[in-house]
């Protein structure tokens, strides 16, 4: 065992704060009742199986993958709706940018309608809007994409439940333990506080963490408004000490 | 007063993947032709080392109904126990194996299928060897935060008996919920039960 002059190595992931994250069973979101585990989760320290993950290279991303206004549109046409830029950084719990993270996003169109066989809302499809995009974060964890502001939509839960306007995000960092899916809401939306899915969050601070402010600094005059949305993945301890017993 | 840990951030709160996760993660599966194909559809980019296997399974809710709107991802080492990851430092993994698969399940039945290789063994942090296993992650409408589990193999009795994770399970009668059952040469079944007497063990890792 040596304690001298070792470079830092990634250690285990910081345990997930289950007092902050939503519980599985949240009866006001009815579908969770039959889809939430009833036994306690089994805890163990992260191993290589959770501390590694696939590598997604920038070559994966096509030029329009982060432009939902154009990536499904006919040539010369574009999606209908308020044009917005969504941008921000993917950080870890230690405040460091997560470079090379795969960020995938999907959303309803400006009328609140998804392009999906099982979608039953009567709002019209937009022939020029597919509703999905993806990008990979830069060296500082930054990302951006262009889209239209999605509309709110009704969903079967309570008698008259409506989702606030939102964009779904899937995040893939550097370890499978960091895998996360979440949603972004828009500042000022009166439906946020009425939504049973937002309602699974345990504090106003958690709701605020998923609510993107309007960002006039990045808004493009006569073209696009902007919203800034940072996301945080689990952090990984750095260890300077090789104090594990190896080879037992 | 003490100094504040002000540089530290909180993990973004999770929200359900919702009923349309497939639009975002496997759009081609939903009929949105984009990107030249869905990520994670194939785990092999050429001839692979080791034993090729297929794993099939279905995710069931507490009423025994199959989920048809789930997304399942798996992550595993190659046949030699090496991960195709940037942070793999122990050797060079099989260049034709991605280690990562993503399945939306069958449109009608919800059954997922992964064509992969039998994983090699990987050490636990204390140096003991773990039994061969695959890490799995399940998201769907009604699941507020993605569920982590592991797929072990029922034909690895000796390695399973010595596995550091399996051996810390208090209720050993639940261990079979983590075992893929061999149905034929190269074919395993791993059903996932979100609730009920056969509830799969899920992990907080
Ligand atoms: Fe949605």
């Amino acid at each position: 065992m040596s304690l001298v002059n070792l470079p830092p190595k990634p250690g285990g992931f910081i345990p997930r704060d289950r007092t902050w994250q939503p519980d599985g069973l949240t009866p006001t979101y009815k579908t969770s009742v039959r889809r939430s585990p009833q036994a306690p989760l089994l805890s163990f320290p992260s191993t290589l199986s959770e501390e590694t993950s696939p590598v997604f290279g920038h070559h994966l991303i096509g030029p329009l993958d982060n432009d939902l206004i154009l990536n499904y549109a006919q040539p010369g046409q574009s999606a209908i709706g308020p044009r917005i830029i969504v941008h921000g950084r993917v950080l870890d719990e230690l405040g460091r940018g997560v470079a090379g993270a795969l960020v995938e996003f999907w959303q309803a169109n400006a009328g609140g309608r998804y392009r999906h066989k099982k979608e039953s809302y009567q709002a019209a499809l937009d022939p020029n809007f597919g509703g999905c995009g993806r990008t990979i974060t830069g060296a500082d964890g930054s990302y951006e994409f262009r889209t239209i502001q999605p509309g709110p939509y009704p969903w079967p839960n309570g008698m008259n439940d409506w989702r606030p306007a939102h964009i779904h995000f899937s995040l893939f960092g550097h370890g499978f333990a960091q895998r996360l899916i979440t949603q972004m809401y828009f500042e000022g939306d009166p439906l946020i506080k009425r939504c049973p899915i937002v309602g699974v969050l345990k504090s106003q601070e958690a709701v605020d963490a998923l609510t993107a402010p309007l960002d006039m600094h990045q808004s493009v005059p006569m073209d696009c408004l902007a919203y800034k949305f940072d996301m945080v993945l689990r952090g990984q301890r750095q260890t300077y000490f090789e104090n594990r017993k190896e080879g037992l | 007063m003490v100094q504040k840990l002000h540089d530290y951030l909180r993990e973004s709160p999770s929200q359900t993947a919702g009923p349309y996760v497939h639009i975002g993660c496997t759009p081609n599966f939903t009929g949105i032709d984009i990107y030249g194909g869905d990520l994670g559809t194939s785990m092999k980019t050429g001839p692979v080392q080791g034993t090729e296997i297929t794993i099939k399974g279905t995710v069931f809710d507490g009423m025994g109904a199959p989920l048809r709107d789930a997304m399942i991802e798996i992550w595993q080492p190659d046949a030699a126990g090496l991960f195709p990851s940037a942070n793999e430092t122990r050797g060079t993994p099989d260049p034709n194996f991605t280690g990562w698969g993503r399945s939306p399940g069958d449109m009608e039945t919800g059954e997922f299928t992964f064509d992969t290789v039998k994983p090699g063994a990987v050490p636990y942090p204390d140096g003991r060897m773990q039994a061969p296993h695959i890490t799995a992650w399940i998201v769907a409408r009604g699941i507020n935060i993605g569920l982590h589990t592991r797929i072990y193999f029922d034909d690895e009795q000796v390695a399973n008996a010595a596995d550091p994770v399996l051996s810390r399970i208090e209720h050993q009668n639940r261990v079979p919920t983590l075992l893929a059952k061999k149905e034929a040469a190269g074919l395993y079944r791993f059903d996932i039960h979100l609730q009920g007497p056969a509830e799969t063990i899920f992990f907080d890792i």
Side-chain angles (χ1 to χ4, degrees), chain A residues 10 13 20 39 41 48 54 88 122 132-133 150 158 217 224 228 242 244:
Chain A
F13 277 93
W20 163 255
L41 303 178
L48 280 173
Q122 60 188 300
C132 59
H217 284 15
C224 265
K228 185 167 190 291
E242 187 55 74
R244 274 177 194 162

Side-chain angles (χ1 to χ4, degrees), chain A residues 106-108 114 153 163 166 168 183, chain B residues 18-20:
Chain A
W106 63 103
Q107 63 170 87
Y114 281 96
Y153 59 84
R163 296 301 326 279
H166 62 276
H168 297 264
Q183 302 183 27
Chain B
Y20 305 123

Side-chain angles (χ1 to χ4, degrees), chain B residues 41 43-44 48 50-58 74 76 97 103 111-119 134 151-155 179-191:
Chain B
T41 304
M43 300 176 67
K44 302 165 193 170
V48 291
T51 307
E52 298 191 49
I53 61 170
T54 297
I55 299 173
K56 288 179 177 288
T58 307
I74 63 170
Q76 63 164 94
F97 183 63
S103 173
E111 183 177 68
F112 59 83
T113 302
F114 292 104
D115 290 316
T116 183
V117 299
K118 189 91 176 277
I134 293 172
I151 305 171
Y152 288 86
F153 297 89
D154 75 346
D155 55 355
L179 303 181
K181 316 238 174 338
K182 191 166 191 171
E183 291 196 327
L187 177 65
Y188 294 85
R189 175 157 301 275
F190 186 77
D191 287 335

Side-chain angles (χ1 to χ4, degrees), chain A residues 47-49, chain B residues 81 90 121-130 164:
Chain A
T47 74
L48 280 173
S49 306
Chain B
R90 300 168 299 149
V122 178
Y124 199 61
D126 64 8
R128 284 181 291 168
M129 286 312 270
Q130 304 180 83

